[in-house]
């Protein structure tokens, strides 16, 4: 059984995870605004490459040239790259061919639920009723946000593909939690480089056009912050509070991205956005104000 988390660690980990969610949530509207004409799978690859190359340059510039992984870390690292960087994005792109945007956003909230369930059931991370209620509030907020934006129509095959992508990312999150003691920038750089190369290769094999140098540069910059630095913060949060709580905080990413989209021209304010914000704020408050983490189940 995993030891209960200290209250101070929970507060610090929560803030790190929310910062990671803010960067990741901002990456989607940013990408749509500047590189909307790029093939989706190609864009995913460029974002990952920007993350991997950017973090590698930052590590080399700071004098860190080794990757600092132990032999026991390699299976977890390989699983995280395969499930999170390769299988997850491919399944998402497959699902998006038959699923509306609003339904896809709703289905993507399954990642946080799957992450928590795997952490609680498989890895025996401690949890309590307050954490469970907070997770439900965050997921409900994301669902309300999604349902407020469209028809919610989804073909069964596409929905299953997106659900499978969420499961892949949940496995990735829990595998990454097993090696969160490793150098966080190195871990994020490896995942970015491998996932980026694979996704760009798949896009080219599928006949995607090579975007302009400007789009490539902008994609790389967005990827560095939205995928690279966000992942570094995510790994640091994993060290503090584990996969279940980190996944719950990170579930605020869809709302944070939608809130940012309000500053983009022609994006309208809505009651569903307000309601989603209130529900997610309640969920985050329940987690951040957890007073007795020792009263844990599991």
């Amino acid at each position: 059984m995993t030891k209960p988390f200290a209250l101070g660690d929970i507060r610090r980990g929560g803030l790190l995870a929310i910062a990671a969610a803010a960067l990741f949530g901002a990456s989607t509207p940013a990408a749509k605004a500047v590189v909307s004409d790029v093939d989706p799978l190609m864009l995913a690859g460029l974002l990952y490459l920007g993350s991997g190359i950017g973090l590698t340059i930052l590590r080399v510039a700071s004098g860190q040239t080794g990757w600092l992984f132990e032999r026991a870390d390699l299976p977890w690292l390989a699983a995280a790259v395969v499930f999170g960087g390769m299988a997850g994005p491919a399944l998402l792109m497959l699902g998006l061919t038959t699923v509306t945007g609003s339904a896809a956003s709703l289905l993507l909230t399954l990642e946080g639920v799957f992450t928590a369930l795997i952490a609680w059931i498989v890895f025996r991370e401690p949890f309590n009723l307050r954490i469970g209620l907070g997770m439900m509030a965050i997921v409900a907020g994301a669902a309300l946000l999604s349902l407020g934006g469209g028809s919610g129509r989804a073909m069964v095959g596409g929905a299953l593909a997106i659900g499978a992508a969420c499961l892949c990312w949940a496995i990735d999150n829990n595998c990454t939690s097993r090696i969160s003691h490793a150098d966080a920038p190195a871990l994020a750089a490896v995942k970015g480089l491998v996932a980026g190369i694979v996704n760009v290769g798949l896009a080219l094999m599928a006949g995607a056009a090579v975007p302009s140098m400007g789009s490539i540069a902008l994609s790389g910059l967005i990827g560095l912050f939205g995928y690279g630095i966000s992942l570094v913060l995510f790994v640091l949060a994993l060290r503090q509070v584990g996969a279940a709580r980190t996944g719950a905080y990170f579930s605020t990413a869809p709302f944070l991205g939608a809130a940012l989209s309000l500053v983009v021209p022609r994006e309208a304010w809505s009651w569903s956005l307000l309601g989603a914000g209130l529900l997610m704020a309640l969920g985050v408050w329940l987690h951040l104000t957890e007073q007795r983490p020792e009263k844990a189940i599991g």
Side-chain angles (χ1 to χ4, degrees), residues 188-254:
V190 169
K191 292 179 68 175
L193 288 171
V194 175
I197 291 171
V198 170
N199 289 333
V200 168
L202 290 173
L204 291 174
M205 290 173 60
V210 178
S212 66
M213 289 303 299
S215 293
I216 291 175
L218 287 170
S219 299
L221 183 63
I222 294 169
L224 173 60
F225 286 93
Y227 285 62
I229 296 175
S230 174
L231 180 55
V232 171
L233 295 172
F234 187 89
V235 172
L236 294 176
L238 287 172
R239 292 179 187 173
Q240 300 289 329
V241 296
R245 285 175 173 82
T246 301
Y249 292 122
F250 198 77
S251 295
T252 60

Side-chain angles (χ1 to χ4, degrees), residues 24 28 40-41 44 48 83-84 86-101 103-105 107-109 111 157-166 168-169 199 227:
F24 182 76
T28 299
L41 188 56
Y48 277 114
F83 283 100
M86 297 164 61
L91 286 166
L92 175 61
M93 297 306 160
L94 176 63
L96 287 175
T97 61
T98 59
V99 176
T100 61
S105 297
L107 290 166
L108 286 174
T109 62
E111 179 185 349
L160 289 176
I162 294 179
C166 292
C168 286
W169 284 317
N199 289 333
Y227 285 62

Side-chain angles (χ1 to χ4, degrees), residues 25-220:
S27 68
T28 299
K32 286 186 64 176
V34 299
V35 286
S36 58
D37 58 336
V38 180
D39 175 82
L41 188 56
M42 174 65 74
L43 177 57
L46 292 175
L47 291 169
Y48 277 114
L49 275 179
S51 165
I53 293 173
L55 288 175
T56 299
I57 292 173
L58 291 176
R59 292 187 72 251
V60 172
S62 64
Q64 298 178 331
T65 56
W67 293 106
L68 305 177
F69 294 110
E70 300 175 0
R71 184 181 297 272
D73 296 336
L74 298 182
W76 296 111
L77 176 61
V81 170
V82 169
F83 283 100
M86 297 164 61
L91 286 166
L92 175 61
M93 297 306 160
L94 176 63
L96 287 175
T97 61
T98 59
V99 176
T100 61
S102 58
S105 297
L106 173 60
L107 290 166
L108 286 174
T109 62
L110 292 172
E111 179 185 349
V113 177
F114 287 151
T115 297
L117 290 176
I118 292 173
W120 293 336
I121 297 172
V122 177
F123 295 106
R124 304 295 296 170
E125 285 191 9
F127 71 99
N128 55 35
L129 180 60
R130 189 183 188 88
I131 292 300
L133 291 174
M135 169 67 80
M136 291 173 61
I138 292 171
V139 173
L144 178 60
L145 178 63
S146 302
L147 291 173
S151 65
R153 177 180 55 84
M155 299 298 290
V156 174
L160 289 176
I162 294 179
C166 292
L167 180 58
C168 286
W169 284 317
I171 294 172
D172 167 25
N173 293 339
N174 279 279
C175 289
T176 301
S177 180
R178 301 302 102 186
I179 54 175
S180 60
H181 59 272
D183 179 36
L187 175 59
V190 169
K191 292 179 68 175
L193 288 171
V194 175
I197 291 171
V198 170
N199 289 333
V200 168
L202 290 173
L204 291 174
M205 290 173 60
V210 178
S212 66
M213 289 303 299
S215 293
I216 291 175
L218 287 170
S219 299

Side-chain angles (χ1 to χ4, degrees), residues 272-288:
S272 62
L273 181 61
L274 177 60
L278 293 174
L279 283 169
M280 289 184 169
L282 172 62
V284 171
W285 176 79
L286 286 170
H287 291 172
L288 287 177

